[in-house]
Amino acid sequence: MRKSIATVSVSGTLTEKLAAIAAAGFDGVEIFENDLLVCPLPPEDIRAMAADLGLTIDLYQPFRDFEALPPPMLAAGLERAEHKFRLMERLGADLLLVCSNVSPLAVGDDALAAAHLRLLAERAAEHGVRIAYEALAWGRHVNEYLHAWRLVQMADHPNLGTCLDSFHILSRGSDPIGIEAIPGEKIFFLQLSDAPLLAMDVLQWSRHHRCFPGQGNFDVAGLVRHALNAGYAGPLSLEIFNDHFRQAGTGRIATDGMRSLVAVERELAGAAHPCVPTGFAFTELAATGELREVLGALGFARTGSHPSKPVELWWQGGARLLLNDTGGDAALIAIGLDSPDPGGAVKHAESLLSPVLPRERAPEEVPLDAVAAPDGTEIFFCDTAWLGDFGPGAPVPGQITGVDHVALTQPPHYFDEAALFYRSVLGLRPQESLELPDPYGLLRSKAMSTGSGVRMVLNIAQVGAGQTPWQHVALACTDLLAIARELRAAHPELLLPIPGNYYDDLEARHEVSPELRELGVLYDRDEHGEFLHLYTVTVGRVFFELVQRVGGYQGYGAGNAPIRLAVQHAGQPMMGG
Amino acid sequence: MRKSIATVSVSGTLTEKLAAIAAAGFDGVEIFENDLLVCPLPPEDIRAMAADLGLTIDLYQPFRDFEALPPPMLAAGLERAEHKFRLMERLGADLLLVCSNVSPLAVGDDALAAAHLRLLAERAAEHGVRIAYEALAWGRHVNEYLHAWRLVQMADHPNLGTCLDSFHILSRGSDPIGIEAIPGEKIFFLQLSDAPLLAMDVLQWSRHHRCFPGQGNFDVAGLVRHALNAGYAGPLSLEIFNDHFRQAGTGRIATDGMRSLVAVERELAGAAHPCVPTGFAFTELAATGELREVLGALGFARTGSHPSKPVELWWQGGARLLLNDTGGDAALIAIGLDSPDPGGAVKHAESLLSPVLPRERAPEEVPLDAVAAPDGTEIFFCDTAWLGDFGPGAPVPGQITGVDHVALTQPPHYFDEAALFYRSVLGLRPQESLELPDPYGLLRSKAMSTGSGVRMVLNIAQVGAGQTPWQHVALACTDLLAIARELRAAHPELLLPIPGNYYDDLEARHEVSPELRELGVLYDRDEHGEFLHLYTVTVGRVFFELVQRVGGYQGYGAGNAPIRLAVQHAGQPMMGG
């Protein structure tokens, strides 16, 4: 299917937008009027630039507050439209989006509205222009897509059809099945956006919080399916108003939009994710002496070394860490995922526009392909062969059973991109999404999981506190209190100190062992089970969490995160300075 | 009246918060539980620290989801409360805020709720604790303040009273007059916050967008008056949840909170602003050669010099500019306001905690006192004597009649502080507040005015685009087209180029003279009249606008600002580099 995007969806000047949209592989654009008005180039030059870039101009938008005004105002509206038709001729655009009237002067009279729309379509026809009439979710009288379609039917002009917009339909909770009642050729245009479910005024929701399909909570692909069933054959066009997209990189957001449409197409084709990862093969850390000290205290030890790179395998139980002497600060730099089909996983990632990373290796080594996650972390797809590079070592015995989850701080403005990456490229599904206070702002946190095996937590400084790009690896164990006792006895300086006030509150809420307080272990419970966890101090950008899930506990102890954040911000004793 | 503030209202650790709150002059604090939980100090130390700082702990909060749960859950709730009572004894707090239950398990049974509250009060009494019961605006069954009061009456225990919160009352549109029906001694606590009017879920509105009294749209002082009429004698206590306050300077926000309460007290005392400025005496600019060139082109010329400082007076018609050779980039550094009582204005500003700036001057010079505005601009209060410093010069003839308005970019997170400063310290009233797109974000813009004489526009990069702290001086004239013709002929390079596409759109909307397009003049109209304006290029941080108001036009041409912003961002020919 052809793919298009409204220029308002990305940042920059109109020429920057068009270049980035073309580079991302779109077939066409909607020209958003304000982008044109502020552009120093005349319409003819924009037309030529789009043509040079291989972009069709699929829509000019929006034309507002026209239909069903008191009849004396009709002439002025038609005159205004004539100006736009002439402009569109210069621009080489033949489809105009007309939004349902929001003016308090508009009259709630379907016959009048339809008559006006017919007049408009007649005038448009003289210029070779067609009109796509859309119900805004906050239209004064027309705010349901089937109402807009009814008016189009009443007006009955070949140059008049309807425009469907997933936000305007789904934000109102309307059932999109009614789309199938509209003849496909009368659906002149289809605009797609997703959004998180927010309880707020729909106009503000629309203007600030739309996002690409797959980044929010709407079933956008399901809506597209109805349009295809109706016979719609036009482009899928993204139209996003989003505060983060406005200030993010133009090319990066355009590419992410394309990724979202490819994912919609895959979903429409009924394609299951070809190779959902089944577990963490390894996590790779830029290592320092201090990091080795913490890992040693946690019972890890070197069990192998890479033949040609300064990389060691530290393996305990089911948890494998690669320590890479990069010379830099301690940081999490790569994640290896157990994949049922590593080659297929890379192809899948590539089809979703994920950059496949060049990989240097000696000929005798095991090939490993990686893609870059939005925060720069390298994601490897592995079968078990990679372990061969590190020799015949076996895991050291210990109480760590594996990696429970990995938490990564996302770069500003790219949280939605990250959510879409982990969902579409890796096959993780969104779990809880939370807002957590720290002393200088609010953290947004979103958990994603395959359901078994791979859990990720994406964090971002939503309000303030942007200077703390912490990453952490949560290690699973079956007897956290035993480990905590050993650590507390041997290496108390490596554990994050937890305020006594936390335990006063915890004991007011739950009956818990006094040992939690003595050991600095945090506690949570849900309706499925219990969660015990503790944190190490931070080394470079990294800290470790030890977690024990009891029963079927589903969460991540997020309610305790503000405690951790406050202690971390207050500056716990950092190793090595 | 005693003044208090909840620790959640400012950023930082609990110890940072307490120090800043004391330094701002508050008498007491509400300890917000999460601030205590994340604090490494035990309650006894926090108590001692507050005492050392001269702060009373007026309230501990919040205790949630207690009343009207199914009876089997009562014992657990009372047990939880016992923990909190013991904590409060350690903390030295004797008043506990209990919020109306939001749990889906809560029962809509007033008798049950009252019985539970009575039990709680009985237990509290054993610890010397009193209970202040508050209706949250989103409480499951109790969400109106008079409903909470009814339950307090039913429970009928001396240790049980009600807490009133202006947000919870006014956000629901409840009439605060009912407060006067509550005996003052049963109003155990009064929490104050303001908020802008937003159409959104009240919980999200409350958690992110509260602000200090005078910064939003609520009549907070009116509500306080009802409480005083009822006989309330406790503290006025600020409780703010605000995304900007969370990341702003702790001391600065605490001081701003104190300013807001002083302003509330003034309003309660019926004190009119003692000396609202009547006009712009001067605007002072850090000058460069390029700036002089622009001003010369606009018809200004030097008419005097300061005897001891490198400051010149450039005076045309009713507009006086001071050019100060600071050696730095061109910038607006001070504003002189015509004041009916300069000494009184400074005293008033000082009473509102505005920093009075030290002023060095020679003994023979005219004394001029200034305060610092939130963005660092110096605000001088003037009678006409200051002109004497610049000798006997008279204005050069010209078409500029005065300063129409001054627009200043506010520092991040301090927009609300600026609004309160201009309102309370200078006596300006808020006008329109708008959100304007630029190519890389959204600008928030708020106009304020005395109604005549002094108009200010406060701008802030709300989304992205934070690196453009532009300032501008809008000069009034009576024949803008005449000036534009001269400028276009003699200095076309000094005028901001306006895209032709803007005029295509303007001509579609209004019948305007084609001369606007030729001259690069922008146009707006409202129901009162018309507005013609044009912009110069930017020099340093400053540009100039020429404006002509026709009829009773009230606005600032804000609809055209996105055009200006796009051209400015695209990089118009900057003078001198």
Side-chain angles (χ1 to χ4, degrees):
Chain A
M1 305 184 68
R2 298 188 73 251
K3 299 183 187 68
S4 188
I5 185 170
T7 54
V8 72
S9 311
V10 296
S11 67
T13 63
L14 184 54
T15 54
E16 289 168 346
K17 291 173 188 229
L18 291 177
I21 287 166
F26 284 93
D27 304 295
V29 289
E30 307 174 28
I31 300 284
F32 187 68
E33 181 164 82
N34 194 58
D35 286 324
L36 177 81
L37 297 194
V38 305
C39 177
L41 299 179
E44 292 81 1
D45 289 11
I46 296 164
R47 173 187 199 152
M49 171 177 287
D52 287 348
L53 290 165
L55 293 171
T56 53
I57 297 180
D58 294 334
L59 185 79
Y60 184 74
Q61 65 124 320
F63 190 72
R64 295 188 191 278
D65 296 342
F66 169 77
E67 86 285 9
L69 289 172
M73 299 174 71
L74 176 63
L78 287 170
E79 175 61 25
R80 183 160 59 94
E82 287 285 344
H83 276 89
K84 299 302 174 189
F85 298 149
R86 289 197 293 271
L87 169 71
M88 291 172 67
E89 289 181 296
R90 298 169 62 196
L91 194 58
D94 65 0
L95 186 61
L96 176 67
L97 177 69
V98 174
C99 299
S100 62
N101 205 321
V102 302
S103 166
L105 299 177
V107 180
D109 178 340
D110 282 1
L112 187 69
H116 288 180
L117 288 171
R118 183 178 175 91
L119 271 174
L120 187 68
E122 286 170 358
R123 297 291 185 92
E126 293 167 15
H127 297 268
V129 166
R130 297 183 310 145
I131 302 291
Y133 179 62
E134 168 186 73
L136 294 179
W138 54 89
R140 179 113 179 133
H141 299 288
V142 180
N143 41 48
E144 288 279 355
Y145 74 100
L146 287 174
H147 189 180
W149 163 234
R150 214 155 57 232
L151 296 184
V152 168
Q153 278 182 295
M154 288 170 70
D156 189 25
H157 190 284
N159 281 54
L160 180 68
T162 191
C163 173
L164 301 176
D165 180 306
S166 62
F167 182 87
H168 291 302
I169 295 170
L170 300 174
S171 66
R172 295 183 57 94
S174 301
D175 190 331
I177 185 113
I179 292 172
E180 303 202 13
I182 307 174
E185 69 277 10
K186 292 303 272 185
I187 303 174
F188 278 8
F189 210 67
L190 177 58
Q191 293 177 314
L192 302 182
S193 61
D194 200 345
L197 293 180
L198 298 173
M200 67 190 303
D201 173 63
V202 69
L203 175 60
Q204 292 303 315
W205 187 17
S206 170
R207 293 225 170 133
H208 299 281
H209 301 286
R210 290 188 184 205
C211 54
F212 290 133
Q215 296 179 337
N217 296 106
F218 292 158
D219 179 11
V220 179
L223 183 142
V224 175
R225 186 173 287 118
H226 291 306
L228 297 180
N229 289 347
Y232 176 70
L236 303 182
S237 190
L238 298 165
E239 188 205 25
I240 317 291
F241 305 87
N242 181 296
D243 284 353
H244 291 291
F245 294 9
R246 282 182 184 282
Q247 49 192 319
T250 312
R252 185 158 171 180
I253 294 294
T255 300
D256 200 38
M258 177 55 71
R259 178 179 300 127
S260 79
L261 288 182
V262 173
V264 165
E265 282 188 321
R266 285 189 56 84
E267 198 175 335
L268 288 171
H273 192 285
C275 39
V276 176
T278 56
F280 289 99
F282 62 81
T283 56
E284 181 170 349
L285 301 152
T288 60
E290 290 83 358
L291 192 79
R292 284 188 170 80
E293 201 179 316
V294 172
L295 290 173
L298 295 177
F300 283 88
R302 182 169 64 85
T303 61
S305 291
H306 195 276
S308 64
K309 295 179 189 162
V311 178
E312 301 170 357
L313 173 64
W314 287 49
W315 186 2
Q316 176 186 184
R320 288 167 293 271
L321 306 178
L322 298 185
L323 302 195
N324 189 332
D325 283 306
T326 62
D329 275 352
L332 195 156
I333 55 179
I335 297 170
L337 297 173
D338 293 320
S339 174
D341 174 9
V346 170
K347 278 204 200 80
H348 176 69
E350 216 168 2
S351 77
L352 286 159
L353 310 181
S354 289
V356 175
L357 296 169
R359 181 100 184 125
E360 299 157 16
R361 64 185 157 86
E364 73 279 12
E365 290 164 22
V366 176
L368 267 184
D369 286 315
V371 297
D375 69 346
T377 304
E378 300 184 4
I379 307 285
F380 288 85
F381 301 102
C382 312
D383 53 26
T384 53
W386 70 275
L387 260 174
D389 275 353
F390 292 90
V396 294
Q399 310 209 49
I400 306 293
T401 56
V403 171
D404 183 86
H405 64 275
V406 171
L408 299 174
T409 299
Q410 300 305 307
H413 311 314
Y414 297 104
F415 198 78
D416 289 330
E417 180 190 322
L420 180 59
F421 172 84
Y422 287 102
R423 181 172 177 167
S424 66
V425 177
L426 298 190
L428 277 62
R429 310 299 300 180
Q431 296 178 278
E432 63 185 8
S433 187
L434 295 167
E435 207 168 59
L436 303 165
D438 75 21
Y440 307 102
L442 293 173
L443 196 80
R444 185 172 162 204
S445 180
K446 184 174 202 159
M448 305 191 72
S449 162
T450 57
S452 67
V454 177
R455 296 186 191 89
M456 303 279 303
V457 176
L458 311 179
N459 294 320
I460 197 165
Q462 171 145 309
V463 171
Q467 311 316 317
T468 52
W470 287 316
Q471 308 163 315
H472 83 264
V473 181
L475 300 162
C477 63
T478 50
D479 188 352
L480 181 62
L481 292 182
I483 301 183
R485 276 178 219 118
E486 290 171 23
L487 279 171
R488 180 63 62 193
H491 301 282
E493 77 286 358
L494 297 184
L495 298 182
L496 197 70
I498 304 301
N501 299 325
Y502 167 76
Y503 294 100
D504 292 343
D505 180 65
L506 180 63
E507 290 162 7
R509 291 184 290 119
H510 302 296
E511 281 195 33
V512 292
S513 157
E515 205 178 5
L516 297 185
R517 183 193 293 260
E518 291 154 26
L519 297 173
V521 169
L522 297 115
Y523 177 87
D524 192 27
R525 67 189 308 167
D526 64 11
E527 65 271 36
H528 307 293
E530 295 176 295
F531 189 62
L532 299 167
H533 58 143
L534 61 73
Y535 301 103
T536 70
V537 295
T538 302
V539 179
R541 291 179 61 191
V542 184
F543 63 92
F544 297 90
E545 183 179 4
L546 294 176
V547 313
Q548 179 184 357
R549 294 175 184 273
V550 182
Y553 179 87
Q554 301 290 320
Y556 298 81
N560 295 327
I563 306 289
R564 166 176 67 78
L565 289 163
V567 177
Q568 289 176 321
H569 273 288
Q572 82 287 15
M574 283 277 204
M575 293 193 66
Chain B
M1 305 184 68
R2 298 187 73 251
K3 299 183 188 68
S4 188
I5 185 170
T7 53
V8 72
S9 311
V10 297
S11 67
T13 63
L14 185 53
T15 55
E16 288 168 346
K17 291 173 188 229
L18 292 176
I21 287 166
F26 285 93
D27 304 295
V29 288
E30 307 174 27
I31 300 284
F32 187 68
E33 182 164 81
N34 194 57
D35 285 325
L36 177 81
L37 298 193
V38 305
C39 178
L41 299 179
E44 292 81 1
D45 289 11
I46 295 164
R47 173 187 199 153
M49 170 177 287
D52 286 348
L53 290 166
L55 293 171
T56 54
I57 296 181
D58 293 334
L59 184 79
Y60 184 74
Q61 65 125 319
F63 190 72
R64 295 188 191 279
D65 295 343
F66 168 78
E67 85 284 9
L69 289 172
M73 300 174 72
L74 176 62
L78 287 171
E79 175 61 24
R80 183 161 58 94
E82 287 285 345
H83 276 90
K84 299 303 173 189
F85 297 150
R86 289 197 293 272
L87 169 71
M88 290 171 67
E89 288 180 299
R90 297 169 63 197
L91 193 58
D94 66 0
L95 186 61
L96 176 67
L97 177 69
V98 173
C99 299
S100 63
N101 205 320
V102 302
S103 166
L105 300 176
V107 180
D109 177 341
D110 282 1
L112 187 69
H116 287 180
L117 289 171
R118 184 180 172 92
L119 272 174
L120 187 68
E122 286 169 357
R123 298 290 186 90
E126 294 167 14
H127 297 269
V129 167
R130 296 183 309 145
I131 302 291
Y133 179 63
E134 170 186 74
L136 295 179
W138 54 90
R140 180 111 179 135
H141 299 289
V142 179
N143 41 47
E144 289 279 355
Y145 74 100
L146 288 175
H147 190 180
W149 163 234
R150 214 154 58 232
L151 297 184
V152 169
Q153 278 182 296
M154 289 170 68
D156 190 25
H157 190 283
N159 282 54
L160 179 68
T162 190
C163 172
L164 300 176
D165 180 305
S166 61
F167 182 87
H168 291 301
I169 295 170
L170 300 174
S171 66
R172 294 184 58 93
S174 301
D175 190 331
I177 184 110
I179 293 173
E180 303 203 12
I182 307 175
E185 69 277 11
K186 294 302 275 186
I187 304 174
F188 278 9
F189 210 67
L190 178 59
Q191 293 178 314
L192 301 182
S193 61
D194 200 344
L197 294 180
L198 298 172
M200 67 190 302
D201 174 63
V202 68
L203 175 60
Q204 292 303 314
W205 187 18
S206 171
R207 294 225 170 134
H208 298 281
H209 301 284
R210 290 188 184 205
C211 54
F212 290 132
Q215 295 178 339
N217 296 106
F218 292 159
D219 179 10
V220 179
L223 183 143
V224 174
R225 186 173 287 117
H226 291 305
L228 297 180
N229 288 347
Y232 175 69
L236 303 183
S237 190
L238 298 166
E239 189 204 23
I240 317 291
F241 305 86
N242 181 296
D243 284 352
H244 291 291
F245 294 10
R246 283 183 184 280
Q247 50 192 319
T250 313
R252 185 160 172 179
I253 295 294
T255 300
D256 201 37
M258 178 54 71
R259 178 179 300 126
S260 79
L261 288 182
V262 173
V264 165
E265 282 188 321
R266 286 189 56 84
E267 198 174 335
L268 288 171
H273 191 286
C275 37
V276 176
T278 55
F280 289 100
F282 62 81
T283 56
E284 182 170 349
L285 300 153
T288 60
E290 289 84 359
L291 192 78
R292 284 187 169 81
E293 201 178 315
V294 173
L295 290 173
L298 295 177
F300 283 88
R302 183 168 64 84
T303 61
S305 292
H306 194 276
S308 65
K309 294 178 190 161
V311 179
E312 301 169 356
L313 172 64
W314 287 49
W315 186 1
Q316 177 186 185
R320 289 167 294 270
L321 306 177
L322 298 184
L323 302 195
N324 189 333
D325 283 307
T326 62
D329 275 351
L332 195 157
I333 55 179
I335 297 170
L337 297 173
D338 293 319
S339 173
D341 173 9
V346 171
K347 278 204 200 81
H348 176 69
E350 216 168 1
S351 76
L352 286 159
L353 311 179
S354 290
V356 175
L357 297 168
R359 182 94 183 131
E360 300 156 16
R361 64 187 158 85
E364 74 281 8
E365 290 163 22
V366 176
L368 266 184
D369 286 313
V371 297
D375 69 346
T377 304
E378 300 183 5
I379 307 285
F380 289 85
F381 302 102
C382 313
D383 53 26
T384 53
W386 69 274
L387 260 174
D389 275 355
F390 293 90
V396 295
Q399 310 209 50
I400 306 293
T401 56
V403 172
D404 183 86
H405 64 276
V406 172
L408 298 174
T409 298
Q410 299 305 306
H413 311 313
Y414 298 104
F415 198 78
D416 289 331
E417 180 190 322
L420 180 59
F421 172 84
Y422 287 102
R423 180 172 177 169
S424 66
V425 176
L426 298 190
L428 277 61
R429 311 299 300 181
Q431 295 179 277
E432 62 185 8
S433 188
L434 294 167
E435 208 168 59
L436 302 165
D438 74 22
Y440 306 102
L442 293 173
L443 196 79
R444 186 172 162 205
S445 181
K446 184 175 201 157
M448 304 189 73
S449 162
T450 56
S452 68
V454 177
R455 297 185 190 89
M456 303 279 304
V457 175
L458 310 179
N459 294 321
I460 197 163
Q462 172 146 308
V463 171
Q467 311 316 318
T468 50
W470 287 317
Q471 308 164 316
H472 84 264
V473 180
L475 300 162
C477 62
T478 50
D479 188 351
L480 181 63
L481 292 182
I483 300 184
R485 274 178 220 119
E486 289 171 23
L487 279 171
R488 181 63 61 194
H491 302 283
E493 77 287 358
L494 297 183
L495 297 182
L496 198 69
I498 304 301
N501 299 326
Y502 167 75
Y503 294 99
D504 291 343
D505 179 65
L506 180 63
E507 289 162 7
R509 292 183 289 119
H510 302 295
E511 281 194 34
V512 292
S513 156
E515 206 179 4
L516 296 186
R517 182 193 293 259
E518 291 155 26
L519 297 173
V521 169
L522 298 116
Y523 177 87
D524 191 28
R525 66 189 308 166
D526 64 11
E527 65 271 37
H528 307 293
E530 295 176 296
F531 190 62
L532 298 168
H533 57 143
L534 62 73
Y535 302 103
T536 71
V537 295
T538 302
V539 179
R541 291 179 61 191
V542 184
F543 63 91
F544 297 90
E545 184 180 2
L546 294 177
V547 312
Q548 179 183 357
R549 294 175 184 273
V550 182
Y553 179 87
Q554 300 289 319
Y556 297 81
N560 295 326
I563 306 289
R564 166 176 67 78
L565 289 163
V567 177
Q568 288 176 321
H569 273 286
Q572 82 285 19
M574 283 277 203
M575 293 193 64

